[in-house]
Amino acid sequence: SPAATSWRPSATRTRTCEQAVPTATAEREEVAHHGLPVPEVVLLAETDQHDGLSTGQWRQRFTDLGPNELPPRRGRHWSLRLLGQLHHPLIYVLMVAAAITAALGEVVDASVVLGVVVINAVIGFVQEARAEKALDALVSMVRTEVTVVRDGLTARVPSVELVPGDVVLLDAGDQVGADLRLVGASELRIDESALTGESVPVTKDPVVLPPGTALADRTNMAYSGTLVTAGSGRGVVVATGSETEIGRVHRLVSTTAAVQTPLTRKLAHFSQVLTVVILGLAAFSVIVGVLRGEPFAKMVTAAVALAVGAIPEGLPAAVTVTLAIGVARMARRNAIIRRLPAVETLGSTTVICTDKTGTLTANAMTVNVVVAGGVRHEVSGIGYAPEGTFAPAADESVRQCLLAGLACNDARIVEDDGRWLPVGDPTEAALVVAARKAGLDVTDVPERVGVLPFSSERMFMATKHADGVVYVKGAVERVLDLAGLPHSTEADELAAAGLRLLAIARAADVEPTEEALRGNVELLGLVAMHDPARPEAIEAVRACQAAGVEVKMITGDHPVTARSIAAEFGITDVHARVAPEEKLRLVKQFQADGHVVAMTGDGVNDAPALRRADIGVAMGKGGTEVAKQAADMVLTDDNFASIRAAVEEGRAVFDNLRKFIIWTLPTNMAEGLVILTAILLGAALPILPVQILWINMTTAVALGLTLAFEPREPGVMQRPPLPPSLPLLTRSLVGRILFVSAILLACAFGAFRWQLSAGASLEVARTVAVNVFVGAQIAYLVNCRSLDRIRPRTGPNRWLLVGIALTIALQLALTYVPFMNRLFHTAPLGWQPWLVVLALSAVSYVLVELDKWRRALARSSAGSASA
């Protein structure tokens, strides 16, 4: 074994009994406790495997190392998180605009601009207040009570008091409190699924293993946070706190940065480009105006109006509300969203990295075949609920076989809040469930009077009962050998299908010993079980694949088991026996290849990858709290089918977001162009900064948000996901924005000039221009229900009608309420200007529909030419 020095707390201040080296990673590479014989482990730990540490030794080590717990999470102070919401290019422009406006004496205008900034900051702060709790969940997970031996005496102590060198006793039902090198084990089995992904409890043995043995195959180790399901054992603590395997996951989670969503990245890039353009146009307008002889202060005011007009102030709030509506829709389909941007990310997902156990499968050992009396019986039902049937129907041979499995058994099943759960070994619990399906119960089993426990050497278990019958269950080869029978081809076929096999037998009037049973055993049958695939998940995987989303299996389970389940789903890309670091590395690699990655998982070992993925998906029923807190989305039914539903809803949300963006940007561009045109012509401004803010904020809420309620268009799962590299605005959409901006510019500026030429006051002309803008926006809103079809394929949207009615009411108030006239520099209108507003709105609607018809013809012609 590798060389190692003895434990020296004062010199190294490390939590492990390993060689003192610079990093924990190096320690694990140079010295592996599973590769050391027990005497060497005990020597390194400076302990006694029978009497444990002395009280003095424990006190000194506890003083040097501190409690056996994970470091608490350190979050940013709330004030820093609030200030962080102002770190955005467009927000900087708005704050500068507010400052300049205030300096020029326009206090009301400045207050309105600052109000917009504050509203956006509060919305962002509330979102971020849902702070990460993954590390807190890890800390609580490793706190338990353990049985420790010190000074030769046994005591129950909190796990936080464990130190390297402590000797810990393990019994069924115990949670392991630290990483232990086992020095003794009696039929010890530990459920490590949360840490390794192994679907069945692992049988433990103190035997020395090769240093390079994978985590899931280290049968001589017991790891912090795992659960003892059967047997007993004794181990020496070799790592505590952050140096345990769960501590290593803790470090991975704390050092793994959550990535931005595709929409967030695209909006950030768009904002940067827009900021540069706005500042450039503002500077250009000031220079042109000054060169034309206009006062500098007047030009600065005009530049502020241009900047305020070009900024889509309502965009952050609209995005938040649209995502929130998506959250509500997903919740109705068993997907709980923990972070809003995850809604849109689902629609952009190109790769789903799915765990096997508990996601594609039920995470419940289930008997699906019983071979008895020479007949193969298929058993229906999934999980531990005693509901299912036999085909053909269970006969007496099946009942006798399952009665033996129920008798030779230490497990049971219990109902808790509508869920059936196993108590004891999952394999034995599966036998209990199968017996219940056949109409048997523990009351049918005679009293047990003797037992031969299962052992890894014996490979079978036997129980003797008051009626003199001995029941036996165990590995097929061992039970057939006891019965003196040849090898079973039926067993080979079932094993080849990836099933876990048990042989069940009985004997009469003998003692439950291997010698007495040999040659006296009657084989009752074979029982085959596995962790079954969810039928609805199979369909969901195929639906995702049809939608162009790659599905890859990444699991810590055995390769044979993983490949067997993958074949049922048609998944060709399988990664088995994967450690937490490897899951994280795979996710990073897929992201580096340009994919938007969704990662599913339920265990502690999944937490780092869940946090790193573009969207982490945790299981709500069977998942650990660690996984849930690291994830962006939690499935309430632990079902891959809900991921498919969430992807569908995510695509609908993305469609609606894009509709909103395509609807709002032409208004902002046209407002800026109206100001710039007035400056270039040396004319009065058609709209003022405060009027621009009114248009942007009221229409974004009353009109734009109604697009968030648009029903999803049919066929969203029959198209491939949009490439992550595709910009937020494609060439076609940019063309649409420029076209509509030109219409709005012509209508608003033309109406303004027409009113002035007709002798109207400046306030009246500006009021007409504002109403033309809003009227054209209402018309364009109806256009945007479908971006490329003249008639939308979605159902009715009653909120759209409500929004239009509300907008009309607000515009009437802006036009006719006196205090609104004073606040926003507007004036009442006669009936003639309203005819102009209606006519121009109708013209804008018709022009956009004609443009959609022209583009549809162009696409049709291009498709015919390519065919």
Side-chain angles (χ1 to χ4, degrees), residues 707-794:
L707 291 172
F709 294 93
E710 279 291 302
R712 64 179 179 273
E713 297 187 28
V716 293
M717 290 299 283
Q718 277 72 54
R719 70 186 191 213
L722 295 175
S725 58
L726 191 71
L728 184 64
L729 300 178
T730 62
R731 180 179 300 178
S732 174
L733 295 180
V734 169
R736 169 72 56 79
I737 291 171
L738 293 175
F739 179 67
V740 177
S741 298
I743 294 174
L744 289 174
L745 169 63
C747 292
F749 198 84
F752 173 74
R753 299 295 295 176
W754 172 73
Q755 283 290 302
L756 289 180
S757 65
S761 67
L762 195 58
E763 288 77 13
V764 168
R766 283 172 173 160
T767 304
V768 171
V770 169
N771 280 296
V772 167
F773 257 115
V774 175
Q777 278 189 286
I778 291 174
Y780 186 46
L781 181 74
V782 180
N783 293 131
C784 285
R785 291 200 68 203
S786 177
L787 296 180
D788 53 7
R789 289 179 175 83
I790 295 178
R791 181 172 298 174
R793 295 190 297 166
T794 60

XYZ file of all heavy atoms in Angstrom, residues 707-794:
676
model
N -49.572 39.419 -23.784
C -48.950 38.393 -24.625
C -48.433 37.227 -23.793
O -48.250 36.124 -24.305
C -47.811 39.005 -25.437
C -48.235 39.984 -26.535
C -47.011 40.666 -27.145
C -49.042 39.273 -27.615
N -48.193 37.470 -22.503
C -47.739 36.385 -21.635
C -48.820 35.329 -21.448
O -48.529 34.186 -21.089
C -47.322 36.946 -20.275
N -50.073 35.695 -21.680
C -51.183 34.761 -21.499
C -51.568 34.067 -22.802
O -52.561 33.331 -22.829
C -52.399 35.507 -20.949
C -52.192 36.050 -19.561
C -51.743 37.346 -19.375
C -52.427 35.260 -18.451
C -51.549 37.860 -18.099
C -52.233 35.762 -17.177
C -51.794 37.063 -16.992
N -50.805 34.299 -23.860
C -51.109 33.647 -25.124
C -51.007 32.121 -24.971
O -50.020 31.613 -24.427
C -50.133 34.107 -26.209
C -50.482 35.443 -26.831
C -51.743 35.368 -27.667
O -51.789 34.564 -28.617
O -52.691 36.112 -27.363
N -52.014 31.363 -25.410
C -51.908 29.899 -25.372
C -50.754 29.434 -26.254
O -50.387 30.113 -27.214
C -53.256 29.437 -25.941
C -54.157 30.624 -25.853
C -53.280 31.825 -25.988
N -50.161 28.280 -25.893
C -49.050 27.789 -26.693
C -49.544 27.352 -28.070
O -50.646 26.807 -28.209
C -48.326 26.639 -26.001
C -49.124 25.388 -25.789
C -48.271 24.311 -25.121
N -49.033 23.104 -24.886
C -49.761 22.882 -23.799
N -49.802 23.796 -22.853
N -50.441 21.758 -23.660
N -48.723 27.600 -29.052
C -49.071 27.238 -30.418
C -48.896 25.737 -30.609
O -48.000 25.123 -30.029
C -48.199 28.010 -31.410
C -48.405 29.520 -31.338
C -47.668 30.260 -32.443
O -47.463 29.659 -33.507
O -47.301 31.424 -32.228
N -49.744 25.112 -31.419
C -49.602 23.671 -31.654
C -48.288 23.367 -32.370
O -47.772 24.182 -33.133
C -50.821 23.339 -32.532
C -51.209 24.626 -33.159
C -50.882 25.691 -32.175
N -47.764 22.183 -32.091
C -46.548 21.760 -32.782
C -45.259 22.226 -32.148
O -44.191 22.101 -32.762
N -45.304 22.753 -30.891
C -44.061 23.255 -30.294
C -43.067 22.127 -30.025
O -41.857 22.364 -29.968
C -44.339 24.021 -28.978
C -45.093 25.302 -29.249
C -45.087 23.145 -27.982
N -43.565 20.884 -29.863
C -42.663 19.763 -29.615
C -42.333 18.996 -30.891
O -41.723 17.929 -30.839
C -43.286 18.811 -28.584
C -43.349 19.377 -27.186
S -41.741 19.776 -26.484
C -41.149 18.139 -26.052
N -42.725 19.526 -32.037
C -42.362 18.899 -33.313
C -41.285 19.684 -34.046
O -40.963 19.408 -35.191
C -43.597 18.783 -34.228
C -44.462 17.566 -33.945
C -45.236 17.691 -32.657
O -45.956 18.675 -32.477
N -45.109 16.723 -31.766
N -40.727 20.679 -33.362
C -39.671 21.471 -33.986
C -38.412 21.353 -33.139
O -38.491 21.139 -31.926
C -40.095 22.935 -34.094
C -40.159 23.638 -32.758
C -40.725 25.037 -32.862
N -40.546 25.766 -31.619
C -41.397 26.682 -31.162
N -42.486 26.968 -31.838
N -41.152 27.316 -30.031
N -37.251 21.477 -33.751
C -36.004 21.402 -32.982
C -35.838 22.643 -32.120
O -36.420 23.693 -32.402
C -34.929 21.321 -34.069
C -35.545 21.991 -35.252
C -37.005 21.664 -35.193
N -35.051 22.545 -31.045
C -34.795 23.739 -30.226
C -33.987 24.756 -31.013
O -33.222 24.411 -31.913
C -33.987 23.191 -29.042
C -33.363 21.932 -29.552
C -34.337 21.361 -30.546
N -34.191 26.019 -30.680
C -33.415 27.059 -31.338
C -31.953 26.913 -30.945
O -31.631 26.677 -29.769
C -33.929 28.441 -30.921
C -35.361 28.782 -31.359
C -35.777 30.128 -30.778
C -35.463 28.804 -32.874
N -31.023 27.042 -31.880
C -29.595 26.929 -31.540
C -29.214 27.961 -30.481
O -29.637 29.122 -30.571
C -28.895 27.229 -32.881
C -29.923 26.935 -33.924
C -31.244 27.286 -33.314
N -28.442 27.564 -29.456
C -28.046 28.516 -28.410
C -27.299 29.731 -28.965
O -27.352 30.815 -28.377
C -27.140 27.678 -27.492
C -27.558 26.269 -27.739
C -27.954 26.208 -29.184
N -26.601 29.532 -30.096
C -25.840 30.638 -30.680
C -26.714 31.613 -31.461
O -26.260 32.690 -31.845
C -24.762 30.084 -31.619
O -25.358 29.295 -32.642
N -27.972 31.252 -31.684
C -28.864 32.125 -32.442
C -29.105 33.407 -31.652
O -29.451 33.367 -30.470
C -30.187 31.412 -32.702
C -31.129 32.085 -33.710
C -30.558 31.938 -35.124
C -32.520 31.464 -33.642
N -28.928 34.573 -32.263
C -29.124 35.829 -31.529
C -30.581 36.026 -31.144
O -31.490 35.394 -31.700
C -28.657 36.895 -32.527
C -28.819 36.261 -33.869
C -28.536 34.799 -33.666
N -30.788 36.914 -30.180
C -32.148 37.198 -29.730
C -33.001 37.712 -30.881
O -34.180 37.359 -31.006
C -32.101 38.238 -28.603
C -33.426 38.594 -27.944
C -34.001 37.383 -27.230
C -33.231 39.745 -26.969
N -32.399 38.513 -31.730
C -33.111 39.073 -32.872
C -32.466 38.561 -34.155
O -31.321 38.894 -34.464
C -33.054 40.606 -32.839
C -33.667 41.268 -31.591
C -33.507 42.780 -31.668
C -35.131 40.891 -31.433
N -33.201 37.729 -34.882
C -32.695 37.231 -36.160
C -32.831 38.321 -37.230
O -33.473 39.361 -37.007
C -33.486 35.993 -36.591
O -34.863 36.374 -36.776
C -33.407 34.906 -35.530
N -32.253 38.055 -38.384
C -32.315 39.038 -39.460
C -33.758 39.346 -39.844
O -34.141 40.490 -40.082
C -31.545 38.514 -40.679
C -31.545 39.463 -41.863
C -30.747 38.886 -43.016
N -29.354 38.647 -42.636
C -28.447 38.108 -43.446
N -28.793 37.755 -44.685
N -27.210 37.919 -43.039
N -34.591 38.295 -39.875
C -35.992 38.484 -40.226
C -36.714 39.359 -39.205
O -37.472 40.267 -39.561
C -36.689 37.122 -40.331
O -38.072 37.268 -40.528
N -36.444 39.115 -37.913
C -37.102 39.884 -36.875
C -36.596 41.322 -36.835
O -37.366 42.248 -36.553
C -36.904 39.203 -35.521
C -37.575 37.832 -35.377
C -37.303 37.246 -34.001
C -39.072 37.922 -35.624
N -35.316 41.517 -37.088
C -34.780 42.879 -37.161
C -35.472 43.644 -38.289
O -35.822 44.827 -38.164
C -33.257 42.855 -37.368
C -32.730 44.247 -37.718
C -32.560 42.331 -36.109
N -35.671 42.952 -39.417
C -36.391 43.580 -40.525
C -37.792 44.000 -40.120
O -38.261 45.087 -40.477
N -38.477 43.128 -39.347
C -39.818 43.464 -38.874
C -39.773 44.698 -37.957
O -40.619 45.605 -38.070
C -40.402 42.265 -38.123
C -41.689 42.533 -37.335
C -42.896 42.736 -38.239
N -43.082 41.608 -39.105
C -43.648 40.448 -38.730
N -44.107 40.301 -37.503
N -43.775 39.459 -39.592
N -38.798 44.734 -37.054
C -38.688 45.859 -36.117
C -38.443 47.168 -36.874
O -39.074 48.204 -36.584
C -37.568 45.591 -35.094
C -37.973 44.451 -34.153
C -37.250 46.846 -34.283
C -36.868 43.962 -33.262
N -37.542 47.139 -37.835
C -37.247 48.357 -38.608
C -38.477 48.803 -39.400
O -38.775 50.004 -39.486
C -36.067 48.102 -39.547
C -34.718 47.869 -38.870
C -33.657 47.507 -39.907
C -34.289 49.116 -38.097
N -39.190 47.838 -39.962
C -40.376 48.158 -40.761
C -41.451 48.820 -39.902
O -42.016 49.874 -40.263
C -40.916 46.879 -41.408
C -42.157 47.073 -42.229
C -42.122 47.806 -43.412
C -43.362 46.528 -41.821
C -43.275 47.986 -44.167
C -44.513 46.699 -42.573
C -44.465 47.434 -43.745
N -41.736 48.254 -38.744
C -42.768 48.810 -37.868
C -42.313 50.147 -37.282
O -43.120 51.079 -37.126
C -43.119 47.805 -36.752
C -44.133 48.406 -35.780
C -43.659 46.516 -37.347
N -41.009 50.259 -36.960
C -40.488 51.527 -36.446
C -40.696 52.642 -37.465
O -41.079 53.775 -37.109
C -38.999 51.387 -36.120
O -38.794 50.420 -35.113
N -40.453 52.329 -38.731
C -40.642 53.332 -39.778
C -42.108 53.748 -39.873
O -42.423 54.939 -40.060
C -40.156 52.775 -41.112
N -43.033 52.782 -39.719
C -44.460 53.106 -39.758
C -44.828 54.034 -38.603
O -45.513 55.056 -38.789
C -45.299 51.810 -39.696
C -45.087 50.969 -40.959
C -46.784 52.138 -39.519
C -45.767 49.609 -40.911
N -44.360 53.681 -37.386
C -44.666 54.508 -36.216
C -44.069 55.903 -36.347
O -44.702 56.899 -35.978
C -44.142 53.823 -34.953
C -44.883 52.560 -34.509
C -44.153 51.910 -33.341
C -46.313 52.894 -34.110
N -42.847 55.987 -36.854
C -42.195 57.278 -37.046
C -43.005 58.151 -38.005
O -43.293 59.325 -37.714
C -40.780 57.080 -37.585
C -40.048 58.337 -38.093
C -39.843 59.327 -36.952
C -38.710 57.950 -38.720
N -43.383 57.568 -39.134
C -44.128 58.332 -40.138
C -45.483 58.774 -39.603
O -45.893 59.940 -39.792
C -44.293 57.487 -41.401
N -46.184 57.879 -38.926
C -47.515 58.210 -38.418
C -47.457 59.286 -37.331
O -48.205 60.273 -37.363
C -48.196 56.964 -37.885
S -48.648 55.743 -39.151
N -46.588 59.080 -36.310
C -46.541 60.011 -35.183
C -45.996 61.373 -35.598
O -46.573 62.417 -35.258
C -45.682 59.415 -34.063
N -44.880 61.380 -36.344
C -44.297 62.669 -36.741
C -45.225 63.387 -37.721
O -45.421 64.612 -37.648
C -42.924 62.450 -37.373
C -42.083 63.695 -37.403
C -41.330 64.068 -36.309
C -42.062 64.513 -38.531
C -40.557 65.223 -36.337
C -41.297 65.666 -38.567
C -40.539 66.025 -37.460
N -45.826 62.616 -38.629
C -46.748 63.226 -39.585
C -47.958 63.827 -38.893
O -48.395 64.943 -39.236
N -48.545 63.112 -37.924
C -49.700 63.639 -37.204
C -49.333 64.894 -36.419
O -50.114 65.867 -36.357
C -50.249 62.561 -36.262
N -48.152 64.891 -35.811
C -47.686 66.048 -35.043
C -47.554 67.281 -35.942
O -48.063 68.369 -35.630
C -46.347 65.700 -34.380
C -45.679 66.860 -33.689
C -46.154 67.338 -32.478
C -44.576 67.488 -34.268
C -45.532 68.406 -31.841
C -43.947 68.547 -33.634
C -44.422 69.007 -32.422
N -46.898 67.112 -37.095
C -46.699 68.247 -38.007
C -48.036 68.711 -38.587
O -48.268 69.913 -38.780
C -45.744 67.844 -39.131
C -44.346 67.444 -38.655
C -43.607 68.581 -38.025
N -43.320 69.642 -39.000
C -42.735 70.802 -38.710
N -42.397 71.064 -37.452
N -42.484 71.691 -39.652
N -48.936 67.737 -38.846
C -50.243 68.117 -39.401
C -51.037 68.965 -38.412
O -51.681 69.950 -38.781
C -51.005 66.844 -39.757
C -52.436 67.098 -40.158
C -52.900 67.636 -41.316
C -53.587 66.843 -39.344
N -54.271 67.732 -41.304
C -54.720 67.240 -40.094
C -53.766 66.306 -38.067
C -56.020 67.134 -39.599
C -55.064 66.190 -37.600
C -56.170 66.594 -38.349
N -50.974 68.606 -37.127
C -51.688 69.381 -36.122
C -51.126 70.795 -35.993
O -51.886 71.770 -35.885
C -51.621 68.667 -34.772
C -52.561 67.475 -34.655
C -54.010 67.888 -34.604
O -54.438 68.654 -33.734
N -54.788 67.419 -35.566
N -49.795 70.902 -36.018
C -49.196 72.236 -35.922
C -49.571 73.097 -37.126
O -49.882 74.288 -36.994
C -47.672 72.123 -35.809
C -47.120 71.579 -34.482
C -45.593 71.533 -34.538
C -47.567 72.454 -33.308
N -49.566 72.481 -38.312
C -49.909 73.248 -39.523
C -51.380 73.649 -39.533
O -51.756 74.642 -40.192
C -49.593 72.409 -40.764
O -50.414 71.255 -40.816
N -52.203 72.910 -38.794
C -53.630 73.244 -38.715
C -53.912 74.282 -37.642
O -55.066 74.627 -37.397
C -54.443 71.984 -38.451
N -52.838 74.762 -36.977
C -53.006 75.819 -35.985
C -53.166 75.339 -34.565
O -53.460 76.133 -33.669
N -52.994 74.043 -34.305
C -53.131 73.528 -32.945
C -51.951 73.970 -32.093
O -50.850 74.255 -32.595
C -53.222 72.013 -32.965
N -52.160 73.988 -30.775
C -51.071 74.331 -29.857
C -50.069 73.191 -29.799
O -50.346 72.059 -30.204
C -51.635 74.609 -28.457
O -52.175 73.413 -27.904
N -48.897 73.497 -29.224
C -47.852 72.477 -29.096
C -48.335 71.331 -28.211
O -48.056 70.149 -28.493
C -46.582 73.107 -28.519
C -45.282 72.291 -28.630
C -44.987 71.960 -30.087
C -44.121 73.069 -28.009
N -49.095 71.660 -27.128
C -49.590 70.606 -26.226
C -50.571 69.686 -26.937
O -50.563 68.469 -26.772
C -50.263 71.234 -25.001
C -49.325 71.883 -24.005
C -48.835 73.244 -24.495
O -49.409 73.775 -25.482
O -47.879 73.762 -23.903
N -51.470 70.279 -27.756
C -52.440 69.465 -28.480
C -51.740 68.569 -29.497
O -52.048 67.372 -29.623
C -53.484 70.366 -29.178
C -54.328 69.545 -30.167
C -54.378 71.041 -28.151
N -50.772 69.121 -30.225
C -50.060 68.339 -31.237
C -49.315 67.173 -30.597
O -49.306 66.047 -31.127
C -49.094 69.244 -32.004
N -48.704 67.419 -29.446
C -47.989 66.344 -28.764
C -48.967 65.286 -28.233
O -48.668 64.083 -28.248
C -47.153 66.914 -27.625
C -45.873 67.595 -28.115
C -45.145 68.320 -27.012
N -43.843 68.812 -27.485
C -43.137 69.787 -26.906
N -43.631 70.380 -25.805
N -41.984 70.152 -27.398
N -50.138 65.718 -27.768
C -51.141 64.766 -27.295
C -51.599 63.859 -28.432
O -51.786 62.645 -28.241
C -52.346 65.518 -26.700
O -51.898 66.395 -25.656
C -53.361 64.536 -26.126
N -51.776 64.427 -29.619
C -52.144 63.622 -30.776
C -51.041 62.618 -31.092
O -51.305 61.435 -31.350
C -52.431 64.525 -31.995
C -52.606 63.675 -33.259
C -53.675 65.357 -31.754
N -49.789 63.075 -31.066
C -48.667 62.178 -31.362
C -48.612 61.017 -30.364
O -48.386 59.859 -30.742
C -47.359 62.959 -31.342
N -48.821 61.315 -29.073
C -48.811 60.264 -28.054
C -49.917 59.248 -28.324
O -49.701 58.028 -28.266
C -48.961 60.875 -26.648
C -49.228 59.774 -25.609
C -47.714 61.651 -26.265
N -51.112 59.719 -28.645
C -52.226 58.805 -28.894
C -52.037 58.001 -30.176
O -52.493 56.853 -30.263
C -53.539 59.584 -28.938
C -54.057 59.903 -27.537
O -54.389 59.019 -26.761
N -54.096 61.190 -27.212
N -51.389 58.585 -31.183
C -51.072 57.830 -32.395
C -50.120 56.690 -32.058
O -50.294 55.550 -32.521
C -50.478 58.743 -33.476
C -49.852 57.919 -34.597
C -51.553 59.664 -34.048
N -49.114 56.984 -31.245
C -48.183 55.928 -30.823
C -48.933 54.779 -30.152
O -48.760 53.605 -30.488
C -47.151 56.501 -29.846
C -45.816 56.753 -30.471
C -45.329 58.049 -30.590
C -45.028 55.713 -30.920
C -44.099 58.293 -31.166
C -43.793 55.944 -31.488
C -43.327 57.235 -31.615
N -49.795 55.113 -29.191
C -50.500 54.082 -28.434
C -51.495 53.338 -29.320
O -51.623 52.110 -29.242
C -51.197 54.701 -27.213
C -52.041 53.651 -26.494
C -50.172 55.299 -26.264
N -52.202 54.068 -30.186
C -53.154 53.405 -31.086
C -52.468 52.419 -32.009
O -52.962 51.299 -32.236
N -51.313 52.832 -32.566
C -50.562 51.922 -33.436
C -50.036 50.725 -32.651
O -49.957 49.602 -33.178
C -49.413 52.678 -34.092
N -49.678 50.935 -31.360
C -49.226 49.815 -30.537
C -50.349 48.804 -30.304
O -50.109 47.592 -30.282
C -48.707 50.318 -29.188
C -47.279 50.824 -29.225
C -46.758 51.104 -27.822
O -47.140 52.091 -27.204
N -45.905 50.239 -27.338
N -51.565 49.285 -30.117
C -52.702 48.376 -29.955
C -52.878 47.537 -31.215
O -53.081 46.316 -31.151
C -53.985 49.177 -29.647
C -53.892 49.812 -28.252
C -55.214 48.273 -29.727
C -55.045 50.737 -27.912
N -52.807 48.196 -32.367
C -52.949 47.467 -33.631
C -51.826 46.450 -33.803
O -52.065 45.299 -34.198
C -52.955 48.459 -34.789
N -50.603 46.851 -33.463
C -49.457 45.952 -33.633
C -49.504 44.802 -32.634
O -49.005 43.708 -32.903
C -48.163 46.749 -33.488
C -46.916 45.962 -33.787
C -46.823 45.147 -34.909
C -45.806 46.035 -32.941
C -45.673 44.418 -35.177
C -44.646 45.320 -33.213
C -44.600 44.514 -34.320
O -43.461 43.796 -34.591
N -50.132 45.016 -31.476
C -50.294 43.938 -30.502
C -51.087 42.787 -31.109
O -50.745 41.611 -30.936
C -51.001 44.471 -29.254
C -51.226 43.451 -28.119
C -49.922 43.171 -27.398
C -52.277 43.960 -27.138
N -52.149 43.123 -31.832
C -52.946 42.081 -32.486
C -52.115 41.397 -33.564
O -52.193 40.170 -33.737
C -54.233 42.689 -33.077
C -55.065 41.612 -33.762
C -55.048 43.374 -31.987
N -51.283 42.184 -34.286
C -50.382 41.575 -35.266
C -49.478 40.526 -34.631
O -49.207 39.474 -35.220
C -49.488 42.642 -35.908
C -50.252 43.633 -36.780
O -50.080 44.823 -36.637
N -51.093 43.145 -37.684
N -48.985 40.819 -33.418
C -47.951 39.998 -32.791
C -48.485 38.724 -32.144
O -47.691 37.939 -31.614
C -47.186 40.811 -31.750
S -46.039 41.999 -32.477
N -49.783 38.487 -32.161
C -50.282 37.211 -31.650
C -49.673 36.060 -32.440
O -49.525 34.954 -31.927
C -51.805 37.165 -31.728
C -52.500 38.115 -30.759
C -53.937 37.673 -30.540
N -53.994 36.412 -29.829
C -55.045 35.583 -29.884
N -56.079 35.879 -30.647
N -55.038 34.457 -29.203
N -49.336 36.323 -33.679
C -48.560 35.373 -34.476
C -47.522 36.181 -35.231
O -47.862 37.167 -35.889
C -49.449 34.606 -35.453
O -48.666 33.738 -36.251
N -46.250 35.775 -35.130
C -45.185 36.554 -35.752
C -45.065 36.297 -37.234
O -44.480 37.111 -37.957
C -43.850 36.244 -35.065
C -43.757 36.654 -33.591
C -42.397 36.299 -33.038
C -44.030 38.146 -33.411
N -45.599 35.149 -37.715
C -45.408 34.846 -39.133
C -46.676 34.400 -39.850
O -46.642 34.114 -41.043
C -44.331 33.764 -39.303
C -44.623 32.533 -38.453
O -45.713 32.472 -37.851
O -43.772 31.646 -38.402
N -47.803 34.331 -39.131
C -49.046 33.919 -39.778
C -50.080 35.036 -39.686
O -50.188 35.700 -38.656
C -49.613 32.643 -39.126
C -48.791 31.407 -39.438
C -49.370 30.185 -38.748
N -48.650 28.978 -39.133
C -47.515 28.585 -38.584
N -46.971 29.316 -37.630
N -46.917 27.492 -39.002
N -50.869 35.204 -40.760
C -51.887 36.242 -40.756
C -52.960 35.931 -39.722
O -53.467 36.817 -39.048
C -52.505 36.376 -42.172
C -51.435 36.878 -43.154
C -53.697 37.327 -42.168
C -51.918 36.997 -44.581
N -53.284 34.659 -39.557
C -54.270 34.259 -38.564
C -53.586 33.367 -37.530
O -53.089 32.299 -37.878
C -55.416 33.514 -39.229
C -56.520 33.085 -38.249
C -57.712 32.521 -38.986
N -58.316 33.526 -39.854
C -59.311 33.255 -40.692
N -59.787 32.022 -40.776
N -59.815 34.202 -41.460
N -53.534 33.781 -36.254
C -52.838 32.970 -35.241
C -53.505 31.617 -35.043
O -54.725 31.483 -35.178
C -52.929 33.835 -33.971
C -54.103 34.729 -34.202
C -54.128 34.996 -35.685
N -52.682 30.598 -34.731
C -53.189 29.241 -34.533
C -53.518 28.967 -33.071
O -53.886 27.865 -32.714
C -52.168 28.221 -35.026
C -51.932 28.274 -36.526
C -51.088 27.080 -36.961
N -49.776 27.122 -36.351
C -48.932 26.089 -36.337
N -49.289 24.939 -36.885
N -47.738 26.203 -35.782
N -53.374 29.956 -32.216
C -53.661 29.758 -30.794
C -55.129 30.059 -30.513
O -55.838 30.626 -31.339
C -52.790 30.679 -29.933
O -53.058 32.047 -30.292
C -51.322 30.398 -30.159
